[in-house]
Amino acid sequence: MKKRIEALKRQRCAIILAHNYQPPEIQDLADLCGDSLELSRRAAATDAETIVFCGVRFMAETAAILSPQKTVLMPRPEAGCPMADMITPEALAARKAELGDIPVVTYVNSTAAVKALSTICCTSANALEVVESLEADRILMGPDRNLALNTAARTAKQIIPWSGCCPYHDRLSVQEVADQRRAHPGAIFLAHPECRPEVVAMADAALSTSGMLRYARESEESEFIIGTEVGLLHALAKENPGKRFHAVSGKLVCPDMKKISLADVLGCLERMDGQVTVPEKIRRPAHAAVERMIALAK
Ligand code: 13P
Ligand code: SF4
């Protein structure tokens, strides 16, 4: 199956991008695995004609926003992000009207229509940098309440959080972390900023998925408790054969990230289906918000 995928990839001039939570066989197949920020940068920069996006809808949509001339395909188009559905453009427009003229920082885990109403996007890797880049001292940040609160703890600016969350990261409790710390004394605990502030407060570092990979690679420590979706453990173990990684909770699994199989990737390249497009009147303002974020790192 891998050989057929490789042949079709060449024929279609395609690139396969995969998020760090994807199943191991998809991570191993991909041309690039990364966090949301790396994947959006790569989607903007690639000269491939087709992008096969192994992740959830908002990620593929971001690629389509950045590269409208490319064909962006999702092997399982129904893979979504429940957090992205916790904010609608109508609700955001109403809240903006209530709050007056304040900037809106929107996590990339959101629909294109919500991005279109935002000042700038952010990911878990650059949320603080994005907030600090704005002149205003009062900022609306959504849809992730935890990312907003964890960012608020590191800035002097007033952050008004939206009330969404990742149902899986948000469920991680202080008790579970304490149990893992007791089971693995001396291990470093890394938390994703989508975890609750009280969980992040227990962490040695709060990082995006690729931030965790970098930390583990560069650290002299040899044992880590990983406070994010279990898919990241595959890349961590692969890159660091001499180090040990423990999932903070076996329940931290995102079912939408686990939908894609090799057969789905093959089928989508054969049929060229599962195309993700964004209507131009939404794409343009959404592009401005995503591009403002990407420009910060240039
Ligand atoms: P990262 O950008 O850290 O990879 O996170 C994406 C995500 O969906 C986390 O739940
Ligand atoms: Fe969305 Fe959470 Fe899944 Fe990330 S892990 S894609 S935030 S539901």
Side-chain angles (χ1 to χ4, degrees):
M1 210 180 300
K2 282 185 191 157
K3 277 195 183 141
R4 284 161 66 199
I5 292 173
E6 284 303 325
L8 272 170
K9 228 174 70 177
R10 277 192 297 277
Q11 199 180 318
R12 312 280 197 216
C13 189
I15 185 173
I16 300 178
L17 303 183
H19 186 263
N20 290 324
Y21 296 158
Q22 284 288 292
E25 64 277 17
I26 302 292
Q27 293 192 30
D28 294 344
L29 175 81
D31 296 293
L32 177 90
C33 286
D35 66 5
S36 308
L37 184 60
E38 290 168 334
L39 293 172
S40 37
R41 283 211 204 114
R42 182 62 178 257
T46 181
D47 50 16
E49 284 163 22
T50 300
I51 299 173
V52 178
F53 215 114
C54 301
V56 294
R57 177 158 287 268
F58 77 81
M59 296 177 173
E61 241 183 29
T62 305
I65 288 168
L66 287 163
S67 303
Q69 72 291 359
K70 296 190 168 89
T71 305
V72 180
L73 305 177
M74 274 184 88
R76 291 291 292 267
E78 77 281 18
C81 167
M83 184 207 286
D85 298 330
M86 293 181 191
I87 184 167
T88 61
E90 294 77 18
L92 177 56
R95 188 73 177 122
K96 277 172 68 173
E98 250 170 49
L99 291 169
D101 190 22
I102 69 168
V104 179
V105 172
T106 297
Y107 195 24
V108 284
N109 299 38
S110 54
T111 60
V114 166
K115 288 182 177 76
L117 295 178
S118 309
T119 313
I120 185 167
C121 285
C122 76
T123 75
S124 63
N126 62 11
L128 182 64
E129 188 190 353
V130 165
V131 161
E132 295 291 356
S133 76
L134 299 170
E135 268 181 30
D137 288 325
R138 222 166 140 249
I139 293 159
L140 174 61
M141 195 166 174
D144 188 7
R145 174 186 63 231
N146 292 331
L147 182 67
L149 294 173
N150 289 321
T151 307
R154 299 167 63 204
T155 178
K157 292 181 192 275
Q158 186 196 351
I159 308 280
I160 302 168
W162 197 264
S163 59
C165 68
C166 166
Y168 315 111
H169 284 85
D170 187 62
R171 218 179 280 155
L172 180 62
S173 69
V174 163
Q175 190 57 54
E176 283 171 300
V177 178
D179 290 346
Q180 283 300 314
R181 277 227 188 258
R182 244 190 318 276
H184 309 290
I188 296 287
F189 171 51
L190 302 179
H192 196 277
E194 287 176 14
C195 296
R196 292 177 177 222
E198 58 269 30
V199 165
V200 167
M202 297 171 84
D204 294 287
L207 298 162
S208 76
T209 55
S210 291
M212 289 186 191
L213 283 165
R214 202 169 312 115
Y215 188 105
R217 204 182 302 130
E218 290 170 3
S219 171
E220 284 176 5
E221 301 293 332
S222 59
E223 198 174 4
F224 304 83
I225 300 164
I226 300 303
T228 196
E229 213 272 352
V230 295
L232 189 66
L233 274 88
H234 173 69
L236 284 163
K238 197 167 137 183
E239 279 192 16
N240 304 278
K243 299 183 180 180
R244 289 202 290 157
F245 301 95
H246 311 283
V248 71
S249 160
K251 288 181 291 184
L252 227 167
V253 179
C254 174
D256 283 273
M257 281 284 183
K258 305 301 188 216
K259 287 186 170 151
I260 300 173
S261 67
L262 289 180
D264 295 324
V265 177
L266 178 61
C268 140
L269 272 167
E270 271 169 354
R271 297 184 301 268
M272 292 295 278
D273 62 2
Q275 189 171 354
V276 176
T277 53
V278 177
E280 199 54 20
K281 73 172 194 305
I282 292 176
R283 194 196 69 80
R284 274 177 202 278
H287 182 267
V290 177
E291 190 51 47
R292 243 173 248 137
M293 167 187 85
I294 289 180
L296 283 183
K298 280 179 183 162

